[in-house]
Amino acid sequence: MPSLNYRHLQYFWTVAREGSIARASKVLHVTQPAISAQLQKLEQQLGEPLFVRAGRGLALTEAGRTAQKYADEIFGLGRELAETLRGRPTGKPMRLTVGVTDAFPKLLAYRLLAPALKMDPPTRLVVHDDRPERLFAELSINEVDLVLTDSPLPPAAPVRAFNHLLGECGITFFGAPALADAYAPDFPRSLDGAPMLLPTEGTTLRRSLAQWFDDIGVRPRVVAEVGDSALLKTFGQAGIALFAGPSAIEPEIRRQYAVAVVGRADEVRERFYAISVERRLKHPAVLAISQVARESLFTARRRPGTRKKDAPAVTDGAAVEEVPEA
């Protein structure tokens, strides 16, 4: 049999994981006809059909399930090879590719990633900003080493990866100085009817804010919904409406966007995660990111009566929690 075409195998592996050629097309950034053609070539080479139609999607045949198991091992070994070679002292800068989800606060991402740029030996940092599902797909095929996000990877996710809780904090409401002066008195009751910029529906912060508004009985007037955290703050800087941001980077938000504090809601907790295919963080730059999160960003505002577990990594979509002190 001719040598296996690993690009064809990667296409097959992605279709098997996504359940359809249409979804795989979005992940791979390849047209559907191109993927179909490559799958046909792989099936011809292997001499077995790998998929059968199942409703609007595809289901693996027995041969397809066998091929998927081998593909899991092949690409898993490839990932281990890349990790091993990346960690070797070659005299060249280590490379760290990080995916940052669109809802993740960009100032917080900078604070977390900055230590990686000051390491000796140096690290070459590559940062991608995209939707979570696309970044997780890239993580699964080793195109990114780490994903920074504000929500853990769910247990049912098709990607085998591990959540590492970096920290948590409350939120602060900000506004351009004149707007903040108008709504700071009688906070949080003053938020009832106040102009508000919110993250888009479905994001973790949007759900948390909606619940908190209901709990305290206020209904802000939503002026705009913005998915990108940096763009949302830019709208807020222009004085269009109030907005919320992590209290852990309150000074940076005030300085960067020339806004003032309206009030703080420590009851609304934002959690921030690094998601990787490693059960235990090993890359020196990633360890530096974890260290600055524990020792600088989130320590001062950590809730009383809690301590951090010694090990920051956990398995398969289960979040690391802070536990009550004995």
Side-chain angles (χ1 to χ4, degrees):
M1 186 177 70
S3 61
L4 192 63
N5 186 311
Y6 287 95
R7 176 61 67 180
H8 297 173
L9 187 65
Q10 183 189 27
Y11 288 179
F12 157 76
W13 190 49
T14 306
V15 173
R17 189 175 63 246
E18 296 297 323
S20 76
I21 291 175
R23 287 195 290 271
S25 173
K26 294 179 181 178
V27 170
L28 293 167
H29 308 291
V30 177
T31 64
Q32 295 183 43
I35 293 176
S36 297
Q38 302 306 324
L39 287 179
Q40 289 177 3
K41 290 181 180 179
L42 180 62
E43 289 178 330
Q44 291 170 2
Q45 186 178 17
L46 296 177
E48 294 279 354
L50 301 175
F51 293 103
V52 292
R53 285 286 175 189
R56 296 184 178 181
L58 296 173
L60 290 165
T61 63
E62 183 176 351
R65 288 191 292 272
T66 299
Q68 185 184 33
K69 290 179 182 177
Y70 277 95
D72 287 341
E73 292 185 20
I74 288 168
F75 291 114
L77 288 171
R79 185 185 304 120
E80 289 181 15
L81 171 63
E83 291 173 356
T84 299
L85 294 181
R86 188 184 296 115
R88 291 178 59 186
T90 61
K92 298 181 180 180
M94 289 186 297
R95 183 184 177 94
L96 178 67
T97 304
V98 179
V100 180
T101 59
D102 42 16
F104 196 92
K106 301 307 181 286
L107 282 173
L108 179 59
Y110 169 74
R111 285 285 307 276
L112 288 167
L113 296 175
L117 301 173
K118 302 174 182 178
M119 297 186 62
D120 185 19
T123 296
R124 177 173 296 171
L125 186 63
V126 179
V127 181
H128 295 193
D129 182 3
D130 212 329
R131 299 192 305 273
E133 59 271 16
R134 183 168 295 177
L135 292 175
F136 294 146
E138 292 178 353
L139 180 69
S140 71
I141 57 176
N142 204 41
E143 290 187 2
V144 300
D145 302 301
L146 194 72
V147 175
L148 298 181
T149 178
D150 63 347
S151 60
L153 189 70
V159 179
R160 178 173 174 78
F162 302 93
N163 295 315
H164 308 271
L165 178 65
L166 296 172
E168 67 170 291
C169 64
I171 66 163
T172 299
F173 287 88
F174 303 89
L179 204 59
D181 288 344
Y183 289 97
D186 197 30
F187 177 88
R189 303 300 310 171
S190 59
L191 297 182
D192 193 37
M196 187 70 64
L197 296 164
L198 290 179
T200 50
E201 292 280 0
T203 57
T204 303
L205 180 57
R206 176 65 177 268
R207 290 191 294 267
S208 299
L209 286 172
Q211 182 63 56
W212 185 69
F213 291 148
D214 284 343
D215 289 345
I216 65 173
V218 301
R219 183 173 293 179
R221 176 171 57 87
V222 180
V223 173
E225 302 176 44
V226 185
D228 182 82
S229 65
L231 183 59
L232 184 146
K233 294 177 179 64
T234 301
F235 274 89
Q237 180 183 25
I240 292 173
L242 307 178
F243 65 93
S247 296
I249 52 170
E250 180 183 304
E252 289 88 343
I253 293 175
R254 293 177 62 185
R255 182 171 58 251
Q256 179 80 18
Y257 294 96
V259 292
V261 171
V262 178
R264 300 175 182 86
D266 197 52
E267 306 92 328
V268 184
R269 307 300 294 177
E270 278 205 273
R271 290 185 163 196
F272 302 100
Y273 297 86
I275 297 181
S276 75
V277 295
E278 297 177 333
R279 185 186 300 269
R280 296 281 177 181
L281 299 178
K282 294 179 290 186
H283 193 294
V286 177
L287 291 174
I289 291 168
S290 178
Q291 183 177 2
V292 75
R294 290 195 314 270
E295 298 180 0
S296 175
L297 271 173
F298 298 106
T299 302
R301 292 183 179 273
R302 187 157 49 91
R303 288 179 292 175
T306 63
R307 62 178 173 83
K308 294 182 186 294
K309 286 185 177 180
D310 292 334
V314 292
T315 62
D316 294 336
V320 175
E321 304 288 349
E322 288 190 345
V323 295
E325 291 182 331

